[in-house]
Every structure is written in structure tokens, then in C-alpha cells.
Amino acid sequence: MAHLLSTHSTFTLTKTSKSNFKYQNCFSAVTFQNPKTSHLTLKSQFRSYQNKPFTALATSTIGQDITSKAHENSNDQFLSPKNKKVMVIGGDGYCGWATALHLSKKGYEVAVVDSLVRRLFDHQLGLESLTPIVSIQNRIKRWKQLTGKTISLYVGDICDFEFLAESFKSFEPDAVVHFGEQRSAPYSMIDRSRAVFTQQNNVIGTLNVLFAIKEFREECHLVKLGTMGEYGTPNIDIEEGYITITHNGRTDTLPYPKQAGSFYHLSKVHDSHNIAFTCRAWGLRATDLNQGVVYGLRTDETEMHEELCNRFDYDGVFGTALNRFCVQAAVGHPLTVYGKGGQTRGYLDIRDTVQCVELAIANPANPGEFRVFNQFTEQFSVNDLAKLVTKAGEKLGLEVTAVSVPNPRVEAEEHYYNAKHTKLIELGLIPHLLSDSLLDSVLNFAIKYKDRVDTAQIMPNVLWKKIGVKPKTVSV
């Protein structure tokens, strides 16, 4: 794996140890036989980092009213993308790629940090995106040709702190958007090795990001992608991160209770606790975006060229409910409703994902503040989605049916669900609500690429109760 790779075109690599390496060009991997003992001296337009005075609040702010924060925040330099640097960790992934392009177009200086392990998962499990996606190097190259904008690229694993530190010192981010985690609940439940990988990768990676911010960019704002799955399905309203409780005559505002439903969701809970602690102890600034289920694939930027196209997962491991249903309808496969189908969650268009991230960056948390935003726009049950896709499919002349299949998960299939999601609206989020036209668009896209569908990957075959010690594959 490459220790460090940047797509800036004017830099010199200097070998400072006996470790061998090879350099091809600014879009090629730099490989080391022994990256742990290899060192790079980068001589380029990167500014050298100088420690700047910074005073942090000693305690974190919770439950703060963020209405009109854009006008109240004293850090005016954060409110404009001009000269602002944003590091997108996991920028080759589904949400990360769309976000990197969106921020670049808006005028931010963007760097993508990614180990490219998500592509490796596909190879390991015999999966493939419905959409053909080119390499991250070619993606960035095409973006530069179309827009004249440069996206820097650092290929490496953020669990390797030496790599992450070099990336921080060379790029000097003002904000870090952290998508760089194993993001699939089913993947984390395949077997012991994947459960362990998920927790190690996610928790240690996030810890490394926190330490990197503290060590090299203390004023940097962390925007971390969390998940609504941290909350579970409580029989009370879900608040945004915090809940005020009166107990035995005393009242306090506390973190909302967490009821994670997989080893993946548990890793997100651990992340939230670690981030909250470092905001309190070190005075870091962070925003936790507890995101709902994302659907769609097109943004204004990814539509500019076929080589900018985003990935689209439809399989039982990485495919989300609405995306899976649209592909199933396109190929004439019954919609797979898990169990009773009453499972209700928050959903949002991928165009709203990038909009929410931009709003969080433009209106940062204060030093010592750990904010939590519930990032979704509408609530649907699985049955609701099946009905919507059936109706949209019939309009396109498709014969769509839905079947109940045994639920591979351990979860409530009928439950109360009412989650608050007002803070991003107060910051200016204009939602793209699910509509017939959007469903038509996604369905037509699925029809266009239906010859690429592997129907053997549609049915769920990762069972929560069957997780075991021995490694296994889910491909057929």
C-alpha cells in the first residue's frame, strides 16, 4: 500500500532511507517495500505547518441552540469557502466521492484520503457496483480536465498514524469530513474477522483522526458521519444527540441512550463517545452527523461526465433498501421485504448528504463543542418503500411484486419511530424529498444498467444469529 500519494503536480520525492520505492507520475501509486521505515521529504507548494496560538474551552457545549449560528459564530473565516481546506477521508466511497466533488465545485480546496479498501471488499465478496466506476486517480484527473480544479489525493490507511500525520502536515486542513469507515452492518456480521476489522478500522481510525487534529491542527473542525442506527428503535421520540431527563427531582441534559443493532453500529457508538470526550478534554470542535439511509446516486457534479459517476450498490451486504428495491424492480425480481416490513428509518437523497456536510463546514462547532445533527429528511417503513417503488415501476410498464423474506437481522419489525431532525433545517437545508420523478430517475438508471446485475447477490445471506468464528464468503 502506498505510504503517501499527492496529486499535486509539482513536488519532489526524496529518498531518506534504504527502503526501495518507485515513483511513476502524479496519478500513480508510490509503493514501498517497507513503508514503516521509509520517509518522504515533500518539496512543493504545500505550506509548512507552524503551530498557531489556540485557546480552547475547557468544557463542551451540549444541546446548544444553533439557530442563526452563521451570524453568531465569531470565527468569520469559517463562513466562506475561499482559501478553506477540507480533507475528505473516505473520499472514494459512495457519500465521500459526491461530497468531495460538491465541495470542490463550491470553491473549497479539497483533499481525498482513502485506503481504497472499499474496492477490495467487492473483489473479496464477488460484488460489483451496478455502475461502472473508474479508478480514483482517473476520477480526479477527469474532474481537473472538466473544471480546472485540483483535488489532492493521499492513498493510505488512517489506522497508520504515520501516514495520517504526514497527510495532515502536508495538506493542513481547516475541516476534516470523516467518511473513512467500514459502513455496512451486514459486512460486520459476516464472521469474527469482519466484526473485528470493522471495530478496529472504525474506532482506531477515528481515534487517530482525533489525535492528528490535536497534534497538528487544533483549530480544525471535525465533521464525522455517524448513523441514526446508534439510537435503535426506542419507544420514545429520538432527540438530536441529547435528552433532558428529570430523575428523583434532579434534571440534567445527557447523551441520548444508544441501542446499536450490529457490530458496525456499535463502532459508531464508540466513535461518538471518543469524540465527545476529546471535545470535553482537549477543546476540539466536532459535529456528528447521524445520517439516515441514503438513496439515489446523482448529484450535479457526478452527472458532468461518465467517469465521475458514483458507485451504486444493490447487493445484500452494501445495498441500502430503496436502491436495492429499484434494482430488483428493474430486473423483474420481487422486492425483498425483510420480515413484517414495519421497520421504520429516516431517509435522505444523496444530494442532501452533500448539502448537509457543506452546511456543517460553513457553520462550525465552537471549540469544546460536540454537536449532533440527525441527518435525514423523511421517515419511511420498508413496506412504505415497497409500495412507492411498485407504483413507480408500474408507471414505467414494469411488473413489480413484493415478497416477505425471513429477516436476516435481529430487530423489531413493528415499532414506534419518531426522530427529530430540525437543526440542519435551521441552518438552511433545503431537502430533496422523495417524489415520483426521483423514483422514475433511479428506476430508469437501474434499467439502463440491468445487464450488469448479478441476481445471485440480491437475496440477503448474512444472518445475525449465524455469525461465527470461521471466515466465510457471501458470494455465490
Side-chain angles (χ1 to χ4, degrees), residues 51-77:
N51 292 322
K52 300 176 183 177
F54 179 74
T55 302
L57 299 180
T59 58
S60 62
T61 304
I62 63 176
Q64 179 177 346
D65 181 6
I66 51 84
T67 305
S68 301
K69 179 175 276 291
H71 301 291
E72 297 171 2
N73 197 300
S74 60
N75 298 292
D76 292 338
Q77 73 272 19

Side-chain angles (χ1 to χ4, degrees), residues 88-91 113-114 158 177-182 201-202 205-206 225:
V88 181
I89 301 174
V113 175
D114 205 300
I158 64 171
V177 182
H178 185 13
F179 291 106
E181 299 196 324
Q182 194 294 102
N201 180 79
N202 294 2
T206 297
L225 191 76

